Amino acid sequence: MASRHSLERSSLLVSLPVIAVSGIACLVTAFYGVETLSVYLLVIFLFSFASRLWAAFSSSCMEASLDLSSRGVFPGENVEIELRVRNGKFLPVAWLDLYMPIPRREALVPKDTRPTESWERSGLEAIGASTRIVGTRRLGRMLWYEEAVYSISMEARCRGVCTLDDWRLSTGDGFGLSESDIRLAKGTAIAVYPQILDVDASPFLRNLWNSSTGSRGVMEDFTVIRSTRDYQAGDSVRNINWRLLARALPLTVNIYEEILPKSIHMIFDGESYSEHKDEMEKALSVIASELLVLRDHDVRAVLSLPEGRYGGACTVRDDLAEALFHLSSYEPLEDRFDYNEVKRIIQVSKFDVPSILASATECGHFFHFTYDAAVLSSKDILSSLGEEKVTVVSSVNTPAEGEYSHICLDDIVRGGNR
């Protein structure tokens, strides 16, 4: 695994200019007969060169890999990361440290943290990491050809995505003058999903009964009684035919018609929440919670998110894990201002419109999540879908524009966190 000398955390004595200058100066002073100074310069040269060489050899032939217990967790849960390190050379490693930058939102935090130093904050800011705390752990030394496994516990605190691309192992010489970094595998990330709430799914299921059948998700249509049968132990009380029982007939239960409802499509107007971050977190939590409930009801759900700070517009179909990941990583676009850099420019959510319109024939209903239903920035898309097939879900309890049905977000949340 490739390693790189760390200039920030190494002494100036082991820098290449100092090594070169001390070596040249040693030869020059020896040539002119200044023996005492030449000896001092020789000691500096040998000491610096040996320290730099020791660090380079210590970080060579090192193999490290990460194994995650889960790539997606909910706030309040822990994820265990297994770090496997192998020293594939005869030279022992004097010391080994793990450096763990934390996401700026501190969505996922290791147990071993420390306050950041002033010299490292600019580097952390450049990679989008927290400048308040950073994760560190001393792993000790390793013998020749030794292999060790370390367990790292991470606590999920809030919604976000933690990439492990900038994690690194550090080792160096026994004098502590020179340090080299060993980069870990690229492309590893852990998503902290939105907080799950206790939500009411009936508004999302109510509009599906009159839809034509879909490809999955058998449900009972309580408006159509197919037949009746004798009551058996364990039958639900709500299925008892009370009309026949009132006529003094034997206790029977209703057998309802089974249907396959069509899917629903959720559209999240993220830019409408750009100045309302707390309300946005709640809206994303409601969407994630409804996706889980709909899965339990075997109802297909499609999710559309606009272009955000860290990715383009997307539409996710039939993949709950991917939908939750996009909900975890979404952030509104960077703020834009006028030419005087004074007035903030209101931006409009940019969706993948063709993918949304393609759902018009296969989805039973569309739910458009926005901050204020009285200000719909996506009217062109919604009108193309048909007002009768769209319900606007807003954080502000104001009537929706046009003939759209409306639901207040607070009316969907029934209680505390699940």
Side-chain angles (χ1 to χ4, degrees):
M1 184 169 290
S3 62
R4 180 176 60 88
H5 180 72
S6 174
L7 296 175
E8 299 86 357
R9 298 184 305 280
S10 298
S11 171
L12 288 175
L13 283 175
V14 298
S15 63
L16 293 179
V18 171
I19 294 175
V21 169
S22 61
I24 295 173
C26 175
L27 295 176
V28 171
T29 53
F31 179 79
Y32 285 102
V34 187
E35 296 180 356
T36 303
L37 181 58
S38 177
V39 170
Y40 283 127
L41 291 172
L42 179 61
V43 171
I44 294 174
F45 170 77
L46 292 177
F47 190 73
S48 301
F49 183 74
S51 177
R52 179 73 178 253
L53 195 62
W54 187 352
F57 276 111
S58 291
S59 59
S60 65
C61 300
M62 297 290 293
E63 299 177 6
S65 61
L66 295 173
D67 186 19
L68 311 182
S69 62
S70 176
R71 293 188 180 272
V73 293
F74 292 98
E77 296 180 347
N78 290 334
V79 59
E80 297 296 326
I81 301 177
E82 187 178 88
L83 171 64
R84 187 178 298 272
V85 184
R86 182 179 182 272
N87 181 15
K89 59 183 180 297
F90 183 75
L91 179 69
V93 176
W95 55 272
L96 195 64
D97 288 351
L98 178 63
Y99 188 77
M100 301 169 283
I102 297 171
R104 181 178 285 118
R105 288 169 50 87
E106 299 180 11
L108 201 64
V109 178
K111 290 186 177 180
D112 302 309
T113 62
R114 63 166 174 79
T116 58
E117 303 287 346
S118 57
W119 60 266
E120 63 185 336
R121 288 171 189 160
S122 59
L124 292 170
E125 178 70 25
I127 62 175
S130 171
T131 57
R132 191 181 69 89
I133 57 174
V134 66
T136 58
R137 180 171 173 181
R138 292 193 174 274
L139 304 180
R141 61 174 181 263
M142 295 187 70
L143 299 177
W144 47 89
Y145 300 109
E146 182 182 2
E147 184 173 336
V149 178
Y150 307 93
S151 181
I152 302 142
S153 181
M154 306 278 288
E155 178 189 1
R157 295 185 176 180
C158 64
R159 183 185 68 88
V161 175
C162 176
T163 60
L164 309 184
D165 294 351
D166 296 302
W167 282 26
R168 64 172 182 262
L169 290 170
S170 298
T171 186
D173 66 294
F175 307 118
L177 296 178
S178 184
E179 186 170 332
S180 295
D181 295 333
I182 305 168
R183 292 285 180 178
L184 299 176
K186 294 285 186 179
T188 305
I190 306 173
V192 181
Y193 301 142
Q195 181 71 51
I196 300 305
L197 307 176
D198 185 9
V199 294
D200 180 13
S202 59
F204 296 85
L205 300 173
R206 185 181 304 124
N207 297 284
L208 301 180
W209 301 113
N210 295 326
S211 302
S212 58
T213 58
S215 60
R216 52 179 288 200
V218 175
M219 303 177 69
E220 291 182 328
D221 186 353
F222 294 105
T223 63
V224 181
I225 300 176
R226 186 174 63 189
S227 61
T228 60
R229 62 169 174 79
D230 293 338
Y231 177 84
Q232 298 177 0
D235 286 337
S236 176
V237 176
R238 68 176 182 174
N239 293 337
I240 294 177
N241 193 316
W242 298 103
R243 183 175 299 176
L244 296 179
L245 184 62
R247 298 177 182 176
L249 295 175
L251 187 61
T252 58
V253 293
N254 298 326
I255 306 297
Y256 297 103
E257 189 67 40
E258 291 184 341
I259 65 170
L260 292 167
K262 296 180 72 174
S263 60
I264 66 171
H265 196 136
M266 299 183 186
I267 305 172
F268 180 67
D269 182 8
E271 287 305 314
S272 67
Y273 286 95
S274 60
E275 293 184 315
H276 312 281
K277 296 303 176 62
D278 291 340
E279 290 80 359
M280 183 185 75
E281 294 299 326
K282 185 174 182 179
L284 292 172
S285 291
V286 168
I287 293 175
S289 304
E290 293 292 354
L291 288 175
L292 292 175
V293 174
L294 293 173
R295 179 200 60 181
D296 295 339
H297 283 80
D298 293 324
V299 175
R300 297 172 60 243
V302 183
L303 174 65
S304 287
L305 293 174
E307 178 183 348
R309 186 174 306 179
Y310 305 119
C314 66
T315 294
V316 183
R317 303 174 187 273
D318 302 327
D319 193 332
L320 179 61
E322 184 180 359
L324 291 175
F325 180 86
H326 283 288
L327 289 173
S328 301
S329 61
Y330 177 78
E331 290 292 337
L333 296 169
E334 293 278 0
D335 290 342
R336 293 176 56 192
F337 297 88
D338 59 11
Y339 62 92
N340 291 323
E341 296 294 326
V342 175
K343 185 177 181 181
R344 182 176 177 274
I345 298 175
I346 298 176
Q347 302 184 80
V348 177
S349 294
K350 302 174 183 178
F351 292 98
D352 182 3
V353 178
S355 67
I356 296 177
L357 298 181
S359 297
T361 58
E362 63 185 52
C363 287
H365 207 75
F366 291 83
F367 291 88
H368 182 67
F369 288 78
T370 188
Y371 176 73
D372 190 351
V375 183
L376 296 179
S377 59
S378 306
K379 289 184 290 185
D380 293 341
I381 301 176
L382 300 182
S383 60
S384 300
L385 301 173
E387 293 184 349
E388 72 284 353
K389 294 185 66 175
V390 176
T391 296
V392 178
V393 184
S394 66
S395 298
V396 178
N397 192 11
T398 54
E401 288 187 15
E403 299 298 325
Y404 302 109
S405 57
H406 173 252
I407 302 175
C408 181
L409 194 72
D410 290 335
D411 295 337
I412 299 175
V413 182
R414 293 189 295 197
N417 299 346
R418 190 174 74 182

